[in-house]
């Protein structure tokens, strides 16, 4: 089995064009650690007060949005949180980091000889460079007065869904709740999650890239380990189940209802 950091097939799904109006809402920044750099975009709520604590959301993109333009990671999900900012319903600080083309969120080997792909998650491996940088960025943000450390959330899709499951194991006491879209992980990692962790997983039943059984197995494992996970399966959705997920009216109310 070879190690791949590329899901070329994921590129068959059409990517909406990012508008300048959307990207302008998210401030472009960089985080540096150990001689390495992580690009990210950050969205602040309306009438932001740096002395006031807000919920923090980390959103992890999929393989098709990797690169160094510090913009593509907003392709899926960027509008969701921008619309929420405009509505002012759930004021929050939202961060979209970006993985370079040659890296990956999770430590995983991918066999693409057949579809759906086969994934071998290395649960005891060192974090990838991007995951290590992401955790460093998270630690830095948690030290800011504008971050409510009782209300930190993580979510992601596809490659980012896998990164979501992994960071929950690497930082088990940090997150109040999580969203994982068409992702997967080794179910054994669920034992490392904090007790009672609320997680909402989503998957398309026709997904021919990442098998829906990966989400089913993770939800079962999380609940068996004392978590509080639920799963929504979309009968007609393929790998781009994020479209249906972002249309869920209870998605953000559910997410922001949780705190440590």
């Amino acid at each position: 089995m070879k190690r791949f950091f590329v899901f070329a097939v994921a590129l068959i799904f059409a990517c909406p064009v990012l508008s300048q109006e959307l990207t302008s809402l998210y401030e472009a920044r960089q985080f540096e650690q150990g001689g390495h750099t992580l690009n990210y975009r950050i969205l602040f709520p309306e009438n932001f007060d740096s002395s006031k604590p807000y919920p923090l959301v980390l959103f992890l993109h999929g393989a098709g949005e990797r690169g160094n333009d510090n913009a593509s990671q907003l392709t899926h999900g960027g509008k969701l949180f921008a619309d929420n900012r405009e509505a002012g319903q759930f004021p929050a600080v939202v961060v979209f980091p970006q993985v370079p083309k040659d890296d990956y969120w999770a430590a995983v080997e991918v066999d693409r000889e057949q579809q759906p792909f086969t994934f071998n998650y290395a649960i005891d491996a060192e974090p990838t460079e991007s995951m290590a940088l992401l955790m460093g960025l998270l630690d830095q943000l948690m030290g800011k007065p504008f971050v409510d450390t009782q209300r930190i959330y993580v979510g992601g899709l596809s490659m980012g869904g896998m990164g979501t499951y992994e960071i929950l194991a690497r930082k088990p006491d940090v997150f109040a709740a999580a969203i994982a879209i068409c992702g997967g992980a080794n179910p054994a990692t669920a034992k490392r999650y904090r007790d009672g962790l609320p997680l909402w997983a989503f998957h398309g039943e026709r997904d021919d890239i990442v098998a829906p059984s990966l989400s089913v197995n993770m939800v079962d494992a999380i609940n068996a380990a004392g978590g509080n996970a639920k799963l929504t399966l979309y009968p007609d959705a393929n790998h781009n189940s994020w479209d249906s997920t972002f249309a869920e009216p209870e998605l953000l109310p559910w997410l922001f209802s949780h705190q440590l």
Side-chain angles (χ1 to χ4, degrees):
M1 184 179 291
K2 297 180 180 180
R3 183 173 183 123
F4 289 95
F5 290 112
V6 179
F7 283 176
V9 179
L11 298 177
I12 65 174
F13 297 100
C15 294
V17 177
L18 285 170
S19 69
Q20 184 175 357
E21 180 181 6
L22 177 62
T23 55
S24 66
L25 290 175
Y26 289 83
E27 183 178 331
R29 293 189 178 182
Q30 291 184 322
F31 171 74
E32 295 184 359
Q33 175 179 272
H36 301 285
T37 301
L38 179 71
N39 289 329
Y40 69 98
R41 290 271 179 163
I42 187 166
L43 176 73
F44 293 102
E46 292 270 14
N47 303 314
F48 174 69
D49 181 348
S50 62
S51 66
K52 176 183 175 181
Y54 298 88
L56 172 68
V57 180
L58 298 182
F59 198 85
L60 311 183
H61 64 81
E65 293 75 60
R66 290 175 302 167
N68 59 6
D69 65 350
N70 203 3
S72 298
Q73 70 267 34
L74 299 175
T75 300
H76 303 299
K79 187 176 185 300
L80 173 72
F81 291 102
D83 288 347
N84 173 66
R85 178 183 185 272
E86 182 177 353
Q89 188 174 8
F90 304 107
V93 176
V94 184
V95 173
F96 277 72
Q98 186 180 36
V99 174
K101 282 291 186 184
D102 60 349
D103 205 6
Y104 203 71
W105 290 123
V108 60
E109 292 180 339
V110 185
D111 184 351
R112 300 183 297 161
E113 293 301 314
Q114 58 184 358
Q115 289 183 261
F117 298 162
T118 300
F119 301 91
N120 180 22
Y121 300 97
I123 61 175
D124 294 319
E126 291 296 314
T128 64
E129 181 179 302
S130 292
M131 176 59 71
L133 288 165
L134 175 63
M135 292 190 294
L137 172 61
L138 175 59
D139 289 342
Q140 183 186 81
L141 290 170
M142 289 176 64
K144 302 294 185 181
F146 58 78
V147 170
D148 183 349
T149 57
Q150 300 300 299
R151 302 184 67 195
I152 297 178
Y153 311 103
V154 63
L157 57 90
S158 191
M159 179 189 78
M162 298 178 191
T164 295
Y165 286 122
E166 181 165 316
I167 200 171
L168 289 170
R170 294 189 183 275
K171 292 279 194 179
D173 300 320
V174 169
F175 298 101
I179 295 169
I181 307 168
C182 58
N186 187 324
T189 60
K191 296 179 181 179
R192 303 179 182 180
Y193 296 175
R194 72 172 178 86
D195 291 342
L197 173 72
L199 181 138
W200 193 352
F202 304 86
H203 220 117
E205 291 188 1
R206 297 187 179 184
D207 196 327
D208 57 5
I209 303 298
V210 180
S213 61
L214 292 177
S215 287
V216 173
N217 294 341
M218 280 305 298
V219 167
D220 289 346
I222 291 169
N223 289 333
N228 182 18
K230 63 178 181 177
L231 173 64
T232 296
L233 294 172
Y234 299 110
D236 299 322
N238 200 304
H239 189 53
N240 59 333
S241 52
W242 50 82
D243 291 333
S244 299
T245 302
F246 295 152
E248 290 280 354
E250 292 303 310
L251 180 66
L252 294 185
W254 176 88
L255 183 68
F256 289 109
S257 70
H258 298 287
Q259 63 181 24
L260 292 177

